[in-house]
Amino acid sequence: MLSSDTLSGQDPAVHTGWYLLAFDEELTEDVTPLHVGDRALVAVRRDGRVGVYDAICPHRGANLGYGGTVARAGVICPFHGKAIHLGEREGRRYCVREYPALQLGGVLFARLSDTSEDDRGFTEAMRKLAETHVVVAGFSLPIKVDGDLVVENAFDIDHFTALHKVPKVLKMTLEQGAEGELSMQGVFVSRSSGWSQGDAGDRVLRTGFHARAFSPTLVASELSLGDDAHVIITGTTPTSEGCIARVAYGLVPDPEDGTAPAELLKSLITNSKLAFEQDRTVWEHMDVTATPRFDARDESLAAFREFTTKFPALNR
Ligand code: FES
Ligand SMILES: [Fe+2]
């Protein structure tokens, strides 16, 4: 939810739903602490997969992310050496809650909830994406606003033209996705290939745009030009100062070696960073407590804000 939490300097409460939690390069150890707002989580690499769990040891509250070690039974707590089981089960005294996690090409997602209702079609969307694309980490950066505001941006139609200088945005259609995700699609019209690879001369380009928000802090935006379609996945995690934004990409792999095309990735990162800098100047200076006066052009923004209210605070 959009709020003034970030103004208080407190770790903000975490809402339910999917998060882009970390890139592989951040998971340097088998046991890595993760901070998501006021929640202490831990990523544990075991048997070739990474799981996401509450980090606080049920014995006396030590954070397993700092000094915990992987063992057969789970994680050995650094404080008193008890074996803490990964995943809750009736009758288990020492265990921590597991969250559904998805690791795709070096990008770690987790759904911070117990109910599959919060999935919103994300698992299936990523499964489908992985059939045709490779998912790769892009970059991350701290931003001094609530993460919802960063994700909301994908539904702010007029800012594409005014701030990012996309010459024209054709009618955007907003719809509730079949799985409860929020979806908006339309067309960007331009004369250069600012959103894509290569030089397109002065042809008029019509780039399809399809944004799907799966939670208040996770949006996948597909940009398609001819046969080339790539997906920009933007996720934010809350911090006491605002959020960390992470951007990953779903790219059609190089047919030769099956990896992400390096040049395309480089140009997408450059373009995304530029757009973030344009947005950041606005975000970090705006008054987030001002009551907006939405007009007809802001229907999708209002819909996004309504969407965010469906993700309550995560239970302890
Ligand atoms: S606090 Fe973890 S074993 Fe005591
Ligand atoms: Fe933007």
Side-chain angles (χ1 to χ4, degrees), residues 201-262:
D202 62 356
R203 280 187 302 132
V204 172
L205 296 175
R206 288 168 182 269
T207 304
F209 175 76
H210 185 190
R212 280 181 296 167
F214 297 98
S215 79
T217 44
L218 187 62
V219 63
S221 303
E222 183 178 278
L223 291 163
S224 50
L225 186 65
D227 290 341
D228 172 33
H230 50 258
V231 178
I232 303 173
I233 304 167
T234 304
T236 60
T237 50
T239 66
S240 58
E241 305 242 281
C243 68
I244 306 280
R246 291 181 181 82
V247 180
Y249 300 92
L251 304 178
V252 177
D254 188 319
E256 305 263 294
D257 60 9
T259 62

Side-chain angles (χ1 to χ4, degrees), residues 18 49 52 98-102 109-114 119 123:
W18 280 102
R49 75 171 276 272
V52 175
E98 176 171 18
Y99 297 98
L102 195 59
F109 301 95
R111 195 191 78 212
L112 303 186
S113 77
D114 290 323
D119 184 76
T123 307

Side-chain angles (χ1 to χ4, degrees), residues 70-130:
V70 176
R72 227 181 124 74
V75 167
I76 305 299
C77 176
F79 203 7
H80 309 100
K82 293 188 188 300
I84 311 302
H85 291 272
L86 299 174
E88 291 175 309
R89 200 181 295 166
E90 197 63 37
R92 264 190 193 160
R93 187 166 166 77
Y94 294 120
C95 57
V96 283
R97 177 178 177 185
E98 176 171 18
Y99 297 98
L102 195 59
Q103 209 183 5
L104 273 183
V107 183
L108 178 65
F109 301 95
R111 195 191 78 212
L112 303 186
S113 77
D114 290 323
T115 156
S116 57
E117 210 180 282
D118 290 327
D119 184 76
R120 306 269 167 176
F122 181 71
T123 307
E124 178 61 10
M126 289 301 106
R127 191 194 62 75
K128 268 192 156 155
L129 179 68

Side-chain angles (χ1 to χ4, degrees), residues 150 153-154 159-160 163-164 275-276 278-279 283:
V150 174
N153 188 57
H159 104 291
F160 291 118
L163 187 62
H164 297 312
F276 260 91
Q278 293 167 332
D279 286 319
W283 289 331

